[in-house]
Amino acid sequence: YISAFPPPALRAPPRHIVLPHLGASTEEAEENSAAMAATTMMDFLETGTIRNSVNFPTTILAPQKNSSGARLCIVNRNEPGALGEITTFLGSKGLNISQQINTSRGDIAYTVIDFTNQPEDADSLQADLAATCSFIISLRFLGMVFDDELGEPGTFFYVSWAQ
């Protein structure tokens, strides 16, 4: 029998192991947890990176020298042919993919795509992509992700169930 906080009657039996659960109960641990949460959120908002998520797969796409700084982050149902349909659509709009990553967990897939060129109109690109690909749940365009300029991160955020 293993417990974190056993009642007095269970503290002495020989086959009972007490493993104290400290979690984030110290001041230092609480500060570290808060800092980690803030860094994780900032990384997601700025680059689309997902770490330490319960519902989404870990997804990290490092910057690449020949990227224009344009990045598209897509959440979609994990269905056969979805990635091919997305990349074919982007190619038809004259966008060249410099790198991408696609990860999934169960029924959900997450794709991050960097382009060698900037789309002319990120809002209409995403609206057209969402209208064309019915499996898309949400998407977000990040502009100038790895430049020193702020750019326009999150210039368009599409969520299918909110439409």
Side-chain angles (χ1 to χ4, degrees):
Y1 183 78
I2 298 176
S3 65
F5 301 104
L10 291 178
R11 290 186 186 152
R15 291 189 296 179
H16 179 247
I17 300 170
V18 177
L19 299 173
H21 175 71
L22 296 176
S25 61
T26 66
E27 190 174 319
E28 181 182 9
E30 288 177 6
E31 287 178 16
N32 289 339
S33 294
M36 184 183 82
T39 300
T40 300
M41 284 301 300
M42 186 174 72
D43 209 15
F44 172 74
L45 293 171
E46 291 179 349
T47 69
T49 295
I50 295 179
R51 287 186 176 95
N52 307 315
S53 174
V54 174
N55 301 321
F56 280 82
T58 296
T59 310
I60 303 166
L61 188 62
Q64 192 177 46
K65 288 183 181 179
N66 66 342
S67 172
S68 66
R71 178 169 276 190
L72 185 61
C73 303
I74 304 168
V75 177
N76 60 276
R77 290 190 308 273
N78 190 16
E79 297 179 0
L83 186 58
E85 196 171 327
I86 291 168
T87 57
T88 298
F89 173 87
L90 295 171
S92 75
K93 297 297 182 179
L95 292 167
N96 186 48
I97 296 171
S98 63
Q99 67 173 348
Q100 68 183 15
I101 187 169
N102 175 266
T103 56
S104 64
R105 179 177 288 169
D107 295 338
I108 298 293
Y110 183 63
T111 304
V112 179
I113 302 171
D114 287 351
F115 303 109
T116 57
N117 52 329
Q118 292 274 346
E120 289 183 25
D121 182 357
D123 292 350
S124 64
L125 172 76
Q126 291 177 103
D128 293 347
L129 178 58
T132 301
C133 303
S134 62
F135 49 80
I136 289 179
I137 297 168
S138 69
L139 45 91
R140 183 168 59 113
F141 177 80
L142 304 173
M144 310 311 289
V145 177
F146 300 107
D147 283 354
D148 289 335
E149 301 173 31
L150 180 59
E152 295 181 35
T155 54
F156 183 90
F157 189 78
Y158 174 91
V159 181
S160 61
W161 48 262
Q163 301 307 313

Short mmCIF file of all heavy atoms in Angstrom, two decimals, residues 73-112:
data_model
loop_
_atom_site.label_atom_id
_atom_site.label_comp_id
_atom_site.label_asym_id
_atom_site.label_seq_id
_atom_site.Cartn_x
_atom_site.Cartn_y
_atom_site.Cartn_z
N CYS A 73 -0.05 28.25 -38.02
CA CYS A 73 -0.29 27.18 -37.04
C CYS A 73 -1.72 26.70 -37.22
O CYS A 73 -2.65 27.50 -37.16
CB CYS A 73 -0.08 27.71 -35.62
SG CYS A 73 1.54 28.42 -35.35
N ILE A 74 -1.88 25.40 -37.42
CA ILE A 74 -3.19 24.84 -37.75
C ILE A 74 -3.54 23.71 -36.79
O ILE A 74 -2.75 22.80 -36.58
CB ILE A 74 -3.20 24.29 -39.19
CG1 ILE A 74 -2.79 25.36 -40.19
CG2 ILE A 74 -4.57 23.70 -39.54
CD1 ILE A 74 -2.50 24.84 -41.58
N VAL A 75 -4.74 23.76 -36.22
CA VAL A 75 -5.30 22.66 -35.44
C VAL A 75 -6.40 22.05 -36.29
O VAL A 75 -7.27 22.76 -36.78
CB VAL A 75 -5.89 23.15 -34.09
CG1 VAL A 75 -6.52 21.99 -33.33
CG2 VAL A 75 -4.82 23.84 -33.26
N ASN A 76 -6.32 20.75 -36.51
CA ASN A 76 -7.33 20.09 -37.32
C ASN A 76 -7.64 18.69 -36.80
O ASN A 76 -6.90 18.14 -36.00
CB ASN A 76 -6.91 20.02 -38.79
CG ASN A 76 -5.63 19.26 -39.01
OD1 ASN A 76 -4.55 19.82 -38.87
ND2 ASN A 76 -5.73 17.98 -39.37
N ARG A 77 -8.77 18.16 -37.28
CA ARG A 77 -9.08 16.77 -36.96
C ARG A 77 -8.02 15.91 -37.63
O ARG A 77 -7.60 16.18 -38.76
CB ARG A 77 -10.48 16.40 -37.47
CG ARG A 77 -11.59 17.09 -36.67
CD ARG A 77 -12.97 16.54 -37.01
NE ARG A 77 -13.27 16.54 -38.44
CZ ARG A 77 -13.79 17.56 -39.11
NH1 ARG A 77 -14.10 18.68 -38.48
NH2 ARG A 77 -14.04 17.46 -40.40
N ASN A 78 -7.58 14.88 -36.96
CA ASN A 78 -6.53 13.99 -37.47
C ASN A 78 -7.16 13.01 -38.46
O ASN A 78 -7.63 11.95 -38.07
CB ASN A 78 -5.88 13.26 -36.29
CG ASN A 78 -4.64 12.51 -36.70
OD1 ASN A 78 -4.09 12.73 -37.77
ND2 ASN A 78 -4.21 11.61 -35.85
N GLU A 79 -7.19 13.40 -39.73
CA GLU A 79 -7.82 12.60 -40.77
C GLU A 79 -6.83 12.32 -41.90
O GLU A 79 -5.98 13.17 -42.19
CB GLU A 79 -9.02 13.35 -41.36
CG GLU A 79 -10.13 13.62 -40.38
CD GLU A 79 -11.29 14.39 -40.99
OE1 GLU A 79 -11.23 14.73 -42.20
OE2 GLU A 79 -12.24 14.66 -40.25
N PRO A 80 -6.95 11.16 -42.56
CA PRO A 80 -6.07 10.88 -43.70
C PRO A 80 -6.24 11.93 -44.79
O PRO A 80 -7.34 12.35 -45.11
CB PRO A 80 -6.57 9.50 -44.18
CG PRO A 80 -7.29 8.90 -43.02
CD PRO A 80 -7.87 10.07 -42.26
N GLY A 81 -5.11 12.36 -45.35
CA GLY A 81 -5.12 13.31 -46.45
C GLY A 81 -5.19 14.76 -46.04
O GLY A 81 -5.08 15.65 -46.89
N ALA A 82 -5.37 15.05 -44.75
CA ALA A 82 -5.52 16.44 -44.31
C ALA A 82 -4.27 17.27 -44.61
O ALA A 82 -4.36 18.37 -45.17
CB ALA A 82 -5.85 16.50 -42.82
N LEU A 83 -3.11 16.76 -44.26
CA LEU A 83 -1.87 17.51 -44.48
C LEU A 83 -1.63 17.75 -45.97
O LEU A 83 -1.25 18.85 -46.38
CB LEU A 83 -0.68 16.77 -43.85
CG LEU A 83 0.65 17.49 -43.87
CD1 LEU A 83 0.56 18.84 -43.17
CD2 LEU A 83 1.73 16.63 -43.22
N GLY A 84 -1.91 16.75 -46.80
CA GLY A 84 -1.76 16.91 -48.25
C GLY A 84 -2.69 17.97 -48.80
O GLY A 84 -2.31 18.77 -49.66
N GLU A 85 -3.91 18.01 -48.29
CA GLU A 85 -4.88 19.01 -48.75
C GLU A 85 -4.43 20.42 -48.35
O GLU A 85 -4.55 21.37 -49.12
CB GLU A 85 -6.26 18.69 -48.16
CG GLU A 85 -7.39 19.41 -48.84
CD GLU A 85 -8.77 18.92 -48.40
OE1 GLU A 85 -8.92 17.73 -48.09
OE2 GLU A 85 -9.68 19.77 -48.35
N ILE A 86 -3.90 20.55 -47.14
CA ILE A 86 -3.42 21.85 -46.66
C ILE A 86 -2.26 22.34 -47.52
O ILE A 86 -2.25 23.47 -48.00
CB ILE A 86 -3.01 21.78 -45.18
CG1 ILE A 86 -4.24 21.58 -44.29
CG2 ILE A 86 -2.22 23.02 -44.76
CD1 ILE A 86 -3.92 21.20 -42.86
N THR A 87 -1.26 21.48 -47.72
CA THR A 87 -0.06 21.91 -48.46
C THR A 87 -0.39 22.17 -49.93
O THR A 87 0.18 23.08 -50.54
CB THR A 87 1.08 20.89 -48.31
OG1 THR A 87 0.64 19.60 -48.76
CG2 THR A 87 1.55 20.81 -46.87
N THR A 88 -1.30 21.39 -50.51
CA THR A 88 -1.70 21.63 -51.90
C THR A 88 -2.39 22.99 -52.02
O THR A 88 -2.12 23.76 -52.95
CB THR A 88 -2.64 20.51 -52.39
OG1 THR A 88 -1.93 19.26 -52.35
CG2 THR A 88 -3.14 20.77 -53.80
N PHE A 89 -3.26 23.31 -51.07
CA PHE A 89 -3.94 24.60 -51.07
C PHE A 89 -2.91 25.74 -50.98
O PHE A 89 -2.98 26.71 -51.74
CB PHE A 89 -4.93 24.70 -49.90
CG PHE A 89 -5.52 26.06 -49.75
CD1 PHE A 89 -6.66 26.43 -50.46
CD2 PHE A 89 -4.93 27.01 -48.92
CE1 PHE A 89 -7.19 27.70 -50.34
CE2 PHE A 89 -5.46 28.28 -48.80
CZ PHE A 89 -6.59 28.63 -49.52
N LEU A 90 -1.97 25.63 -50.05
CA LEU A 90 -0.97 26.69 -49.88
C LEU A 90 -0.13 26.86 -51.14
O LEU A 90 0.18 27.98 -51.55
CB LEU A 90 -0.10 26.39 -48.67
CG LEU A 90 -0.84 26.42 -47.32
CD1 LEU A 90 0.07 25.91 -46.21
CD2 LEU A 90 -1.36 27.80 -47.01
N GLY A 91 0.23 25.75 -51.79
CA GLY A 91 0.99 25.82 -53.04
C GLY A 91 0.19 26.51 -54.14
O GLY A 91 0.75 27.27 -54.93
N SER A 92 -1.11 26.26 -54.17
CA SER A 92 -1.96 26.90 -55.19
C SER A 92 -2.05 28.41 -55.00
O SER A 92 -2.40 29.13 -55.93
CB SER A 92 -3.37 26.28 -55.19
OG SER A 92 -4.11 26.74 -54.07
N LYS A 93 -1.75 28.87 -53.79
CA LYS A 93 -1.75 30.31 -53.50
C LYS A 93 -0.36 30.94 -53.67
O LYS A 93 -0.14 32.09 -53.32
CB LYS A 93 -2.24 30.57 -52.07
CG LYS A 93 -3.67 30.13 -51.83
CD LYS A 93 -4.63 30.91 -52.71
CE LYS A 93 -6.06 30.50 -52.43
NZ LYS A 93 -7.02 31.23 -53.24
N GLY A 94 0.59 30.15 -54.19
CA GLY A 94 1.92 30.68 -54.47
C GLY A 94 2.84 30.73 -53.26
O GLY A 94 3.86 31.41 -53.29
N LEU A 95 2.49 30.01 -52.21
CA LEU A 95 3.32 30.00 -51.02
C LEU A 95 4.25 28.79 -51.03
O LEU A 95 3.81 27.66 -51.27
CB LEU A 95 2.45 29.97 -49.75
CG LEU A 95 1.65 31.25 -49.53
CD1 LEU A 95 0.59 31.04 -48.47
CD2 LEU A 95 2.58 32.38 -49.15
N ASN A 96 5.52 29.04 -50.80
CA ASN A 96 6.51 27.97 -50.74
C ASN A 96 6.82 27.64 -49.29
O ASN A 96 7.15 28.52 -48.50
CB ASN A 96 7.79 28.39 -51.47
CG ASN A 96 8.77 27.24 -51.56
OD1 ASN A 96 8.39 26.14 -51.95
ND2 ASN A 96 10.00 27.49 -51.21
N ILE A 97 6.70 26.38 -48.95
CA ILE A 97 6.96 25.94 -47.57
C ILE A 97 8.44 25.70 -47.39
O ILE A 97 9.05 24.91 -48.11
CB ILE A 97 6.16 24.65 -47.27
CG1 ILE A 97 4.66 24.94 -47.36
CG2 ILE A 97 6.54 24.08 -45.91
CD1 ILE A 97 3.79 23.70 -47.29
N SER A 98 9.04 26.39 -46.41
CA SER A 98 10.46 26.19 -46.13
C SER A 98 10.67 25.05 -45.14
O SER A 98 11.66 24.34 -45.20
CB SER A 98 11.12 27.47 -45.62
OG SER A 98 10.54 27.88 -44.40
N GLN A 99 9.72 24.88 -44.21
CA GLN A 99 9.76 23.76 -43.28
C GLN A 99 8.40 23.62 -42.62
O GLN A 99 7.61 24.57 -42.59
CB GLN A 99 10.86 23.92 -42.23
CG GLN A 99 10.66 25.06 -41.26
CD GLN A 99 11.70 25.06 -40.16
OE1 GLN A 99 12.45 24.12 -39.97
NE2 GLN A 99 11.75 26.15 -39.40
N GLN A 100 8.15 22.43 -42.10
CA GLN A 100 6.88 22.20 -41.40
C GLN A 100 7.05 21.05 -40.43
O GLN A 100 7.98 20.25 -40.54
CB GLN A 100 5.76 21.87 -42.39
CG GLN A 100 5.94 20.54 -43.08
CD GLN A 100 4.85 20.28 -44.10
OE1 GLN A 100 4.12 21.16 -44.50
NE2 GLN A 100 4.75 19.05 -44.56
N ILE A 101 6.12 20.99 -39.47
CA ILE A 101 6.04 19.86 -38.56
C ILE A 101 4.56 19.56 -38.34
O ILE A 101 3.75 20.48 -38.26
CB ILE A 101 6.78 20.13 -37.22
CG1 ILE A 101 6.81 18.86 -36.37
CG2 ILE A 101 6.16 21.29 -36.47
CD1 ILE A 101 7.73 18.97 -35.16
N ASN A 102 4.25 18.28 -38.32
CA ASN A 102 2.88 17.85 -38.07
C ASN A 102 2.93 16.78 -36.99
O ASN A 102 3.64 15.79 -37.12
CB ASN A 102 2.26 17.28 -39.36
CG ASN A 102 0.87 16.70 -39.11
OD1 ASN A 102 0.73 15.51 -38.88
ND2 ASN A 102 -0.12 17.56 -39.17
N THR A 103 2.20 17.01 -35.90
CA THR A 103 2.15 16.05 -34.81
C THR A 103 0.68 15.80 -34.47
O THR A 103 -0.18 16.61 -34.79
CB THR A 103 2.89 16.57 -33.56
OG1 THR A 103 2.33 17.83 -33.18
CG2 THR A 103 4.38 16.73 -33.83
N SER A 104 0.41 14.67 -33.85
CA SER A 104 -0.97 14.38 -33.50
C SER A 104 -1.05 13.67 -32.17
O SER A 104 -0.09 13.04 -31.72
CB SER A 104 -1.64 13.55 -34.59
OG SER A 104 -1.02 12.28 -34.67
N ARG A 105 -2.20 13.78 -31.56
CA ARG A 105 -2.53 13.05 -30.34
C ARG A 105 -4.00 12.68 -30.46
O ARG A 105 -4.87 13.55 -30.39
CB ARG A 105 -2.27 13.88 -29.09
CG ARG A 105 -2.66 13.12 -27.81
CD ARG A 105 -2.35 13.88 -26.56
NE ARG A 105 -0.92 13.92 -26.35
CZ ARG A 105 -0.33 14.69 -25.45
NH1 ARG A 105 -1.04 15.50 -24.70
NH2 ARG A 105 0.98 14.67 -25.31
N GLY A 106 -4.24 11.40 -30.68
CA GLY A 106 -5.62 10.94 -30.83
C GLY A 106 -6.28 11.56 -32.05
O GLY A 106 -5.75 11.48 -33.15
N ASP A 107 -7.41 12.20 -31.85
CA ASP A 107 -8.20 12.75 -32.95
C ASP A 107 -7.76 14.15 -33.39
O ASP A 107 -8.33 14.70 -34.32
CB ASP A 107 -9.68 12.83 -32.54
CG ASP A 107 -10.27 11.45 -32.31
OD1 ASP A 107 -9.73 10.47 -32.85
OD2 ASP A 107 -11.28 11.36 -31.59
N ILE A 108 -6.76 14.73 -32.70
CA ILE A 108 -6.33 16.10 -32.99
C ILE A 108 -4.93 16.10 -33.59
O ILE A 108 -4.04 15.41 -33.12
CB ILE A 108 -6.32 16.96 -31.70
CG1 ILE A 108 -7.73 17.06 -31.11
CG2 ILE A 108 -5.73 18.33 -31.95
CD1 ILE A 108 -8.71 17.85 -31.96
N ALA A 109 -4.75 16.91 -34.64
CA ALA A 109 -3.43 17.10 -35.24
C ALA A 109 -3.08 18.59 -35.15
O ALA A 109 -3.97 19.45 -35.16
CB ALA A 109 -3.41 16.64 -36.68
N TYR A 110 -1.79 18.87 -35.06
CA TYR A 110 -1.31 20.25 -35.00
C TYR A 110 -0.17 20.39 -35.99
O TYR A 110 0.78 19.59 -35.98
CB TYR A 110 -0.84 20.57 -33.58
CG TYR A 110 -0.39 21.99 -33.38
CD1 TYR A 110 -1.26 23.06 -33.53
CD2 TYR A 110 0.91 22.28 -33.01
CE1 TYR A 110 -0.86 24.37 -33.32
CE2 TYR A 110 1.33 23.58 -32.79
CZ TYR A 110 0.45 24.62 -32.96
OH TYR A 110 0.86 25.92 -32.74
N THR A 111 -0.27 21.37 -36.86
CA THR A 111 0.72 21.58 -37.90
C THR A 111 1.25 23.01 -37.82
O THR A 111 0.47 23.95 -37.69
CB THR A 111 0.09 21.35 -39.30
OG1 THR A 111 -0.49 20.05 -39.34
CG2 THR A 111 1.12 21.49 -40.40
N VAL A 112 2.56 23.14 -37.92
CA VAL A 112 3.21 24.45 -37.96
C VAL A 112 3.98 24.51 -39.27
O VAL A 112 4.77 23.62 -39.58
CB VAL A 112 4.15 24.66 -36.76
CG1 VAL A 112 4.83 26.02 -36.83
CG2 VAL A 112 3.39 24.50 -35.45
#
